[in-house]
Amino acid sequence: MNVLKAMISLVIFWIVIADVALAQEKGTYRFALLRQNDSVPRLDNRNGLSWYRSLKHLYVSENNQLTLGGSWRGQAESFVNEEFSTEGRQDNIWFLNRLLFHAHLKLGDRFETFAELGSSLIEGKNNLSPVDKDVLYVNQLFVAYEISSLWTLEVGRRNIRLGSGRLVDIREGPNVRRSFDMAELRYHTKVFEALSFFSVPVRPEPGAFDNGQWTFDETFSGLYTTTHFADDNYLDAYVLYQKEDGAIYQSGTDNERRVSIGARHVGTVKGFTYNNEVVYQMGSFGNQDISAWTLSLQVEAELKVLGKDFDVGIKTEAISGDKNSTDGKMNTFDALYPRGAYFGRVARFGPSNLIDVHPYVNTTFNKLSLEVDYAAFWRYSLEDGVYGAAMTLDYPSLNDQRFIANQMGFIAGYRFNHAIGVELEGNVIFPGPFLRENNMDDTLFHMVLTTEVKF
């Protein structure tokens, strides 16, 4: 309870302080998910600045400036029947705190460096995952140099998100974000962008400045392009290569070399917005040849009901699984580095060996946003198991049942301003025949309350 009281006190403090400060600077700053992309105006000098802007703009000179910022996110999360079972303790509520603090230095129009420290803490949870706790770590630290109007070079540690985040995302849902030590070269015009990169994933550890790095037993590289046909119509095409030693699937553990070739098309036709993606994977897993694929379809329309706008949409995916563990072929699709909350913050099923249908409705009432969704899950292959969000084999194939579960969820969010928000998410999962025959037959309940303050 002391942790909860501290969280409430801190939230109230920042609401009072940040609301006053940001009210004075209304419209000046816009904070992005990746804070290096914040909209922060350049200043000629620091004369006459309010106390907030004086702290924000620590250093200003002609064509140069150093700005500071950060965020705090607190979460209270709880499960009932976490593993689809009433056995064991059910009062499992835990509290997560994530603090990020950054400094962004821009020298002229071509050079910049960005440094971001993080501290992700948790209390009340016994079985910690690598994404729950990291006492003190370097989340991002990179330099960028604009070689010309067309080319930009970046080197260092970064959070990255490609496309819609289906394959590569910053993992915003969990307590510890995903970072890569990488070098990247960007080419960009008004209608075409290309990103080539080589990276090593950073392995989070729970202590201070002890994250694993530069082991090279896992690397990730590729070329990602975007062609813009119009503001609301563009095509992504990419080739990605992942090397991972000791990968684990239903068919066993071995070294993996996987190539992903994909395309994603986003557009609008007669009031309908679509976001469709197809990926084919090849390579090797030990002495097996990889042949895997996924097809993702999403369509959304804005409807007016009783004078209110509602976004109504449906997502559906078919994701391949292994057909036969002895045929010399690996058919399990690997989603690489997706967001941890792929199907909601409950994150019980990951995007491998899966068929899902996911309708949803969302709307906003001034500062209040609401979303209600439903998802149904099936196994694509009866010879393969069901994988978790971190590509772990959480539910091995122990029966011939295809239907996994029904999931219902909601998200209610309220934004006091562009810097302060509160969100409540709830999920209920009803086990299907696959889980029930594995002795996991109790309904799972999940709730998470999130407060975030950016400054």
Side-chain angles (χ1 to χ4, degrees), residues 161-169 224 236 264 275 277 339:
R161 188 174 194 265
L162 299 180
S164 60
R166 286 193 179 109
L167 296 183
V168 183
D169 192 76
Y224 198 99
D236 293 345
R264 168 178 171 254
N275 182 352
E277 191 162 4
R339 53 187 177 271

Side-chain angles (χ1 to χ4, degrees), residues 362-421:
N362 60 59
T363 188
T364 57
F365 300 90
N366 295 322
K367 296 182 178 182
L368 176 67
S369 62
L370 297 172
E371 179 174 340
V372 179
D373 65 347
Y374 163 79
F377 303 101
W378 295 263
R379 282 194 295 167
Y380 177 83
S381 171
L382 300 183
E383 301 301 316
D384 204 349
V386 176
Y387 295 80
M391 199 55 201
T392 52
L393 183 59
D394 291 350
Y395 311 100
S397 176
L398 300 177
N399 58 57
D400 60 358
Q401 298 295 329
R402 189 177 299 276
F403 188 67
I404 303 169
N406 293 291
Q407 177 177 313
M408 299 184 66
F410 76 90
I411 301 176
Y414 186 86
R415 298 211 66 83
F416 297 91
N417 52 42
H418 70 278
I420 303 172

Side-chain angles (χ1 to χ4, degrees), residues 118-140:
S119 177
S120 300
L121 304 177
I122 185 169
E123 183 171 322
K125 188 177 183 181
N126 294 324
N127 299 318
L128 300 183
S129 74
V131 300
D132 285 330
K133 181 180 179 180
D134 197 342
V135 172
L136 194 60
Y137 56 98
V138 178
N139 183 52
Q140 297 192 89

Side-chain angles (χ1 to χ4, degrees), residues 139-195:
N139 183 52
Q140 297 192 89
L141 177 60
F142 64 89
V143 296
Y145 179 71
E146 187 177 292
I147 301 172
S148 70
S149 60
L150 299 178
W151 296 92
T152 302
L153 175 67
E154 293 191 10
V155 179
R157 179 167 297 184
R158 282 206 55 181
N159 303 143
I160 61 173
R161 188 174 194 265
L162 299 180
S164 60
R166 286 193 179 109
L167 296 183
V168 183
D169 192 76
I170 68 172
R171 196 172 57 198
E172 175 63 7
N175 210 28
V176 182
R177 283 182 173 179
R178 176 183 291 115
S179 299
F180 295 85
D181 289 329
M182 61 190 301
E184 63 174 58
L185 182 65
R186 292 178 180 268
Y187 174 84
H188 42 87
T189 68
K190 290 184 178 180
V191 297
F192 181 76
E193 302 171 20
L195 166 67

